Amino acid sequence: MKIEVVNGNYHYEKRRKKFPDLYARNINFTLEPGEIMAILGPNGAGKTTMLKCITGLLEWKQGETRIDDKALTSIDRKELWKRVGYVPQAHKMVFGFSIEELVVMGRAPYISTLAQPTKKDLEAAHAALDTIGILHLAKKSCNEVSGGELQLALIARTLVSDPEVLILDEPESHLDIQKQIVILQTIKRLSQERGISCIINTHYPNHAFYLADFVLMTAKEKDVVYGKVQDVMTESRMKEFFDIELKKIIYEEDDYLVETMVPRALGTERNLSSCRFNDFQ
């Protein structure tokens, strides 16, 4: 499935009047099956609003989202949510749903109003949980699992409708580094094995390096920049968008490659005179 945005703009009219040249520039991108795009920017840059406009949860002020060259607004909503999976940021549940019940909710496009989930729906939920690797948590309450496990359950909830596109809102936020890696590896595996296109919101440059084919960078009162990761995520542009100096580092070992960016401010100055003296010891 191809998903694209043509001349999309979601900025409020007051901002457009204050910065007419900046906010007249619209969002344009196209994702083919199996491709991943990261929306990268600091907090408060409007990334979540942009995602909601892409999915039709909010309306674009201008422009439109298209699915296979067809305007999203012309597609039946139930059919749309069979093809598009939206994963919001995970928050602890206030109700005592089990993980199994949470995931079965993703079958809503296939279940008639007032009907109960069928055996087929439960089997689909268990298959999705197994794909994500948390089938053993099926009977656990959402309030009993960790934030990372809940985030994985939300991804499983989208998979039960067998989507062709996954759209994820900062799925790795508020998680420890191990859980972040599990989430990222799961998203990448789903894209590679199922040909699912993915759009992921993040404010972690390293995650964009690991996951994405393309990146769309956004920040307050900045023009949107879109393109291939290597072309867009330069040291100078990261300084411009994040207001911090980042150094790009490439690590290679045999067939293993890691590209990362580290804040220069977190480095420590070496005592050069001490280093020179120690060289002769």
Side-chain angles (χ1 to χ4, degrees):
M1 181 175 114
K2 181 175 71 172
I3 182 169
E4 60 185 325
V5 169
V6 180
N7 296 324
N9 199 309
Y10 62 95
H11 297 291
Y12 294 107
E13 195 61 32
K14 288 182 179 179
R15 289 186 179 180
R16 287 180 67 91
K17 289 179 179 178
K18 187 176 181 181
F19 305 98
D21 294 334
L22 180 60
Y23 289 131
R25 299 168 186 168
N26 294 324
I27 298 164
N28 291 276
F29 67 81
T30 300
L31 273 190
E32 300 290 345
E35 293 181 336
I36 299 177
M37 182 183 79
I39 300 176
L40 181 65
N43 289 331
K47 300 189 299 296
T48 295
T49 301
M50 188 189 301
L51 273 194
K52 289 182 177 179
C53 289
I54 291 171
T55 59
L57 295 173
L58 293 176
E59 292 185 6
W60 292 106
K61 299 297 183 182
Q62 293 182 343
E64 64 180 5
T65 302
R66 295 177 183 172
I67 303 293
D68 290 337
D69 301 317
K70 189 176 181 180
L72 182 145
T73 52
S74 68
I75 300 173
D76 177 79
R77 303 304 290 178
K78 183 173 283 192
E79 291 303 314
L80 175 68
W81 293 116
K82 289 179 181 179
R83 305 185 68 189
V84 177
Y86 176 65
V87 184
Q89 295 183 38
H91 299 287
K92 284 295 184 180
M93 298 294 170
V94 294
F95 302 110
F97 293 119
S98 69
I99 294 295
E100 179 184 73
E101 290 169 333
L102 174 70
V103 175
V104 166
M105 292 177 191
R107 293 286 296 175
Y110 295 91
I111 301 173
S112 301
T113 304
L114 302 179
Q116 294 295 315
T118 65
K119 181 181 178 181
K120 182 178 179 180
D121 296 322
L122 288 172
E123 288 174 349
H126 290 169
L129 286 167
D130 190 41
T131 296
I132 298 299
I134 56 170
L135 180 58
H136 61 287
L137 298 176
K139 300 301 182 181
K140 285 273 191 180
S141 167
C142 291
N143 293 317
E144 295 176 334
V145 301
S146 69
E149 290 167 338
L150 181 58
Q151 190 68 70
L152 286 169
L154 289 172
I155 294 174
R157 185 178 66 172
T158 69
L159 295 182
V160 293
S161 64
D162 198 22
E164 298 167 64
V165 173
L166 271 182
I167 299 179
L168 307 104
D169 190 2
E170 296 186 6
E172 76 285 50
S173 291
H174 313 301
L175 304 180
D176 64 50
I177 190 169
Q178 190 272 343
K179 290 295 189 298
Q180 289 182 18
I181 291 170
V182 170
I183 294 288
L184 295 173
Q185 289 176 334
T186 299
I187 294 168
K188 193 166 189 175
R189 176 168 55 84
L190 290 171
S191 176
Q192 292 173 341
E193 293 179 357
R194 298 194 179 192
I196 296 175
S197 301
C198 296
I199 301 175
I200 177 173
N201 258 355
T202 184
H203 46 250
Y204 297 109
N206 293 337
H207 296 176
F209 271 125
Y210 171 72
L211 273 179
D213 304 295
F214 302 94
V215 62
L216 190 154
M217 288 186 64
T218 182
K220 287 183 179 180
E221 300 175 10
K222 299 285 185 186
D223 192 11
V224 169
V225 180
Y226 170 76
K228 292 183 177 180
V229 171
Q230 301 300 328
D231 297 334
V232 172
M233 292 180 62
T234 62
E235 292 179 357
S236 60
R237 188 167 281 124
M238 299 302 289
K239 169 69 174 175
E240 177 187 355
F241 276 72
F242 284 86
D243 196 26
I244 188 171
E245 190 172 351
L246 298 171
K247 301 301 292 183
K248 187 174 181 179
I249 297 174
I250 298 177
Y251 172 76
E252 294 183 80
E253 181 180 338
D254 299 327
D255 59 350
Y256 185 77
L257 171 69
V258 173
E259 291 186 73
T260 186
M261 282 187 162
V262 297
R264 191 175 186 277
L266 295 183
T268 56
E269 293 186 12
R270 292 185 297 172
N271 188 326
L272 296 180
S273 61
S274 173
C275 290
R276 294 191 185 102
F277 176 78
N278 290 334
D279 286 343
F280 292 97
Q281 299 302 304

